[in-house]
Amino acid sequence: MSDGAALLRLAGIHTHIGRYHILHGVDLAVRRGRLTMLLGRNGAGKTTTLRTIMGLWRRSAGEIDFDGRPIGDLETPDIARLGIAYVPETMGIFAQLTVRENLLLATGPQGFDEAQLEAVLALFPALREKWHNAAGSLSGGQKQMLAISRAIIEPRRLLIVDEPTKGLAPAVIQLLIDAFLRLKQSATTILLVEQNFHVARSVGDDVAVMDDGRIVHTGAMADLAADETLQRHLLGLSLASHQ
Amino acid sequence: MRPLDGLLSGDRPGGLVLSLLLLAVLLGLAFAPFLFPGTRPLGVAARICIFIVLAASYDVMLGYTGIASFAHTMFFGMGAYGVAIALSKLWAGWDAVLLGTAAGVALAALVAILIGLLSLRVRAIFFSMITLAVASFALILATELRDLTGGEDGLTFSVPRLLTPEFRLAAEPVLGARLDGRLVTYYLIFVLSLALFLLMLRVVNSPFGRVLQAIRENEFRAEALGYRTVAYRTLAGALSAAMAALAGAMMALLLRYNGPAATLSFDLMVDILLMVVIGGMGTLYGPVLGAVVLVMAEYYLQPAMAAVSGGLKGWPVLPALFDPDRWLLWLGVLFVLIVYFFPAGIVGKLREGRR
């Protein structure tokens, strides 16, 4: 996978959390306008990679460039202000605020862009019905929809999403797949961590597979989806078992 | 109802019972001099107004931002000492009142900003300890700087003539209330308190207030959205401190005296905390009810117990149990019951199921 058109580039990233050495030299390129899947077994270092990109955990070595600019030393709010939206694994909603207030947090002082708001609510119509409800009262799927909506309510240059389908019902997962496919049509650059291979195969353009804090494979998602042997080798699974 | 929404910044109390309770408090305070004539009831009503502002300003820190500070009485004291020093050392004029208030508010905001920038990055428990240390230092300072603050005796001073009992608007009482400087003082405090409360309501319902609530829920998520949480928390602290200082200035004008025990004591800090917790954190309407409950209990629980004790004369044990000297015991029981039955505070309970 050539990284010539990379919007985000990680080179030799090491991250320590306390005395634990989690990332052991991660090299990753996220290409513009593409949806890059970050796959790997539990504990491979996927979430740590995303949190390191966002500055929530500081890297101990290596370089992180966003659009050619080093961001490894920036504070999290400064990284977010570059146009990077992050949806954490825990959904990242503010439970005591309403759906409307959660979305307003991600807009500028001018409030909602009506056209953008309509586009987001068209992706997730359930949120319209819960507009004035506390986010904490939403179902798991609705919370995830809200978290993703908040990330895209303003134009973002890069959307980073951590395991959005975890623990959700199949019908909701399909909704999220449809949403990501529509986001891809708008040429949004997305880095998506996912355990569900069906989701990964449905939406991914590029793929990077992690193991033990390193990237062990990069390439086209379609190639990995077509190669069961490689899947077993890299992920310890076969596509057939995750249809 | 749009003007009401505008006045309340779109944050209606929610629920009929709560709305009626708050309306009763508003009307009770607005007409207190005529409904409850006398110096003592007027003083109690004025204290309720002041403590509403003080407790609400603490709620901006604790309830909306999630910062547990023990330095709030220090800011209250700064406002009170600002007015007290200006009126005792300069002259008893309105310009001295304004100068003292401005100095107290500015100092409170500045100290809050310094505390915030130096210590809001540390863990919550350490921040609380730092504020406790700073507040203790301020109390010692106020006691030791006798020439300026009057030491433990405090400062007694004259206020502008309009606010003195000697000033008369009319020779005859109206509806049982004497139209004198005390009445003017009360309505000055009432109007200022109402304005400051509505201003705080506006702030917590603004985009700024929304960010504070987001920070309270999850600081890291708020940072990942691009918000500099330390800056927001520091600003919230400065605003809260300025409001507390204004409440202190009003207290000084009411008492025409200020000393460490009146505005800087740790007992007062506990009272503020109880007002916010009993009323309901993170609601602003909570401190209103909390202030009413606590101030009324402090002033009227003892007389009420004396009446009960007298009524039970001849019964075994009970008269002793309701002896007025045991009022703190019953105040404690009252708090335990309120916390048990209203863990989210009175307003939290009354608003249950609203969202």
Side-chain angles (χ1 to χ4, degrees):
Chain A
M1 183 169 67
S2 159
D3 67 351
L7 179 63
L8 177 74
R9 189 180 62 80
L10 280 69
I13 292 297
H14 288 256
T15 298
H16 290 75
I17 300 175
R19 60 192 173 92
Y20 298 104
H21 191 174
I22 309 294
L23 300 185
H24 300 266
V26 171
D27 298 306
L28 174 69
V30 177
R31 295 195 287 171
R32 286 174 206 277
R34 311 272 293 178
L35 194 154
T36 301
M37 298 300 311
L38 185 58
L39 306 181
R41 298 182 180 93
N42 279 336
K46 306 183 295 293
T47 296
T48 304
T49 302
L50 301 193
R51 292 180 67 93
T52 302
I53 293 168
M54 289 307 297
L56 291 165
W57 283 328
R58 309 310 299 187
R59 78 201 193 293
S60 36
E63 291 300 327
I64 307 173
D65 291 345
F66 179 70
D67 204 10
R69 175 186 172 179
I71 62 167
D73 292 329
L74 296 184
E75 297 287 335
T76 301
D78 297 323
I79 293 169
R81 284 166 187 223
L82 291 173
I84 303 178
Y86 172 54
V87 181
E89 188 183 359
T90 49
M91 297 172 190
I93 56 147
F94 298 100
Q96 290 180 36
L97 300 183
T98 64
V99 168
R100 174 181 170 274
E101 288 168 338
N102 264 274
L103 292 179
L104 272 173
L105 276 173
T107 67
Q110 77 288 350
F112 292 122
D113 174 318
E114 287 303 321
Q116 185 72 10
L117 178 61
E118 282 307 313
V120 168
L121 292 177
L123 274 180
F124 303 117
L127 296 182
R128 197 189 294 273
E129 296 158 25
K130 306 282 184 182
W131 193 239
H132 291 296
N133 289 42
S137 69
L138 303 181
S139 69
Q142 288 166 343
K143 285 176 184 168
Q144 195 59 267
M145 291 173 201
L146 175 58
I148 294 171
S149 298
R150 203 181 52 206
I152 59 174
I153 193 74
E154 291 270 294
R156 307 289 182 196
R157 300 176 70 193
L158 173 64
L159 178 58
I160 297 175
V161 189
D162 195 358
E163 293 206 46
T165 65
K166 192 176 181 181
L168 299 184
V172 180
I173 291 175
Q174 189 55 50
L175 250 173
L176 292 178
I177 290 174
D178 294 343
F180 280 116
L181 291 174
R182 288 172 72 173
L183 279 174
K184 277 175 64 174
Q185 287 171 3
S186 63
T188 306
T189 307
I190 302 171
L191 174 61
L192 179 59
V193 163
E194 186 54 69
Q195 291 274 16
N196 185 321
F197 201 86
H198 169 60
V199 174
R201 190 191 64 163
S202 303
V203 301
D205 296 316
D206 301 325
V207 65
V209 181
M210 288 192 80
D211 193 26
D212 196 22
R214 295 177 182 84
I215 300 289
V216 293
H217 170 83
T218 57
M221 186 65 225
D223 293 343
L224 180 61
D227 190 338
E228 278 198 39
T229 311
L230 190 59
Q231 287 166 38
R232 275 200 204 91
H233 171 67
L234 293 172
L235 302 163
L237 53 77
S238 72
L239 182 55
S241 65
H242 285 77
Q243 290 289 352
Chain B
M1 298 300 273
R2 284 211 166 172
L4 184 64
D5 271 335
L7 202 62
L8 301 180
S9 307
D11 185 4
R12 291 189 178 203
L16 184 65
V17 177
L18 179 58
S19 301
L20 289 175
L21 271 176
L22 290 167
L23 187 63
V25 171
L26 176 67
L27 294 177
L29 291 174
F31 299 107
F34 307 101
L35 293 172
F36 318 104
T39 306
R40 185 178 161 90
L42 198 62
V44 172
R47 286 181 80 90
I48 289 175
C49 292
I50 292 167
F51 275 103
I52 284 173
V53 174
L54 186 59
S57 68
Y58 189 61
D59 196 31
V60 171
M61 284 281 280
L62 182 67
Y64 282 87
T65 319
I67 305 168
S69 160
F70 292 111
H72 214 58
T73 46
M74 177 180 75
F75 303 127
F76 185 56
M78 283 175 177
Y81 271 110
V83 168
I85 292 169
L87 287 176
S88 60
K89 307 290 180 193
L90 300 175
W91 54 87
W94 285 105
D95 42 3
V97 172
L98 289 177
L99 186 69
T101 304
V105 168
L107 182 65
L110 184 69
V111 172
I113 288 171
L114 287 176
I115 293 176
L117 291 179
L118 292 176
S119 55
L120 274 174
R121 284 181 189 278
V122 301
R123 285 173 58 189
I125 182 71
F126 296 118
F127 175 78
S128 300
M129 292 301 107
I130 289 169
T131 58
L132 191 59
V134 173
S136 302
F137 178 68
L139 181 62
I140 293 167
L141 210 59
T143 311
E144 294 299 321
L145 294 175
R146 289 174 217 281
D147 290 344
L148 187 66
T149 62
E152 284 187 9
D153 296 335
L155 295 167
T156 306
F157 49 87
S158 300
V159 292
R161 189 173 169 274
L162 185 65
L163 305 180
T164 59
E166 294 76 39
F167 175 78
R168 297 288 161 126
L169 280 168
E172 295 303 315
V174 174
L175 298 173
R178 282 195 310 200
L179 305 187
D180 60 8
R182 287 184 197 277
L183 191 83
V184 176
T185 306
Y186 175 73
Y187 276 109
L188 177 69
I189 289 170
F190 172 75
V191 170
L192 274 176
S193 299
L194 186 61
L196 292 175
F197 180 79
L198 293 175
L199 178 65
M200 282 187 272
L201 207 55
R202 176 63 54 95
V203 169
V204 297
N205 286 290
S206 69
F208 175 75
R210 205 160 33 238
V211 176
L212 294 184
Q213 291 171 72
I215 292 170
R216 176 193 63 195
E217 277 203 47
N218 194 312
E219 190 175 344
F220 294 117
R221 282 177 201 163
E223 284 201 340
L225 284 173
Y227 294 109
R228 295 178 197 284
T229 55
V230 171
Y232 273 87
R233 291 168 74 172
T234 303
L235 266 179
L239 173 81
S240 172
M243 291 292 161
L246 285 168
M250 289 191 283
M251 184 61 99
L253 286 177
L254 175 71
L255 301 177
R256 284 175 282 156
Y257 159 82
N258 187 44
T263 53
L264 285 174
S265 75
F266 192 72
D267 288 351
L268 200 60
M269 187 65 242
V270 174
D271 285 351
I272 301 167
L273 192 61
L274 285 172
M275 285 172 193
V276 174
V277 171
I278 287 171
M281 279 192 286
T283 62
L284 272 206
Y285 294 114
V288 174
L289 297 183
V292 172
V293 168
L294 212 89
V295 175
M296 295 285 277
E298 281 180 352
Y299 275 83
Y300 295 112
L301 196 57
Q302 268 185 303
M305 285 176 63
V308 171
S309 182
L312 293 169
K313 216 169 190 176
W315 288 61
V317 185
L318 289 177
L321 202 60
F322 287 98
D323 189 287
D325 288 344
R326 298 210 164 83
W327 74 282
L328 268 175
L329 169 77
W330 288 102
L331 197 60
V333 170
L334 181 71
F335 294 150
V336 170
L337 289 176
I338 288 177
V339 170
Y340 184 78
F341 288 107
F342 307 109
I346 300 170
V347 169
K349 182 73 177 176
L350 294 175
R351 274 181 165 179
E352 233 169 46
R354 181 175 160 226
R355 280 187 169 183

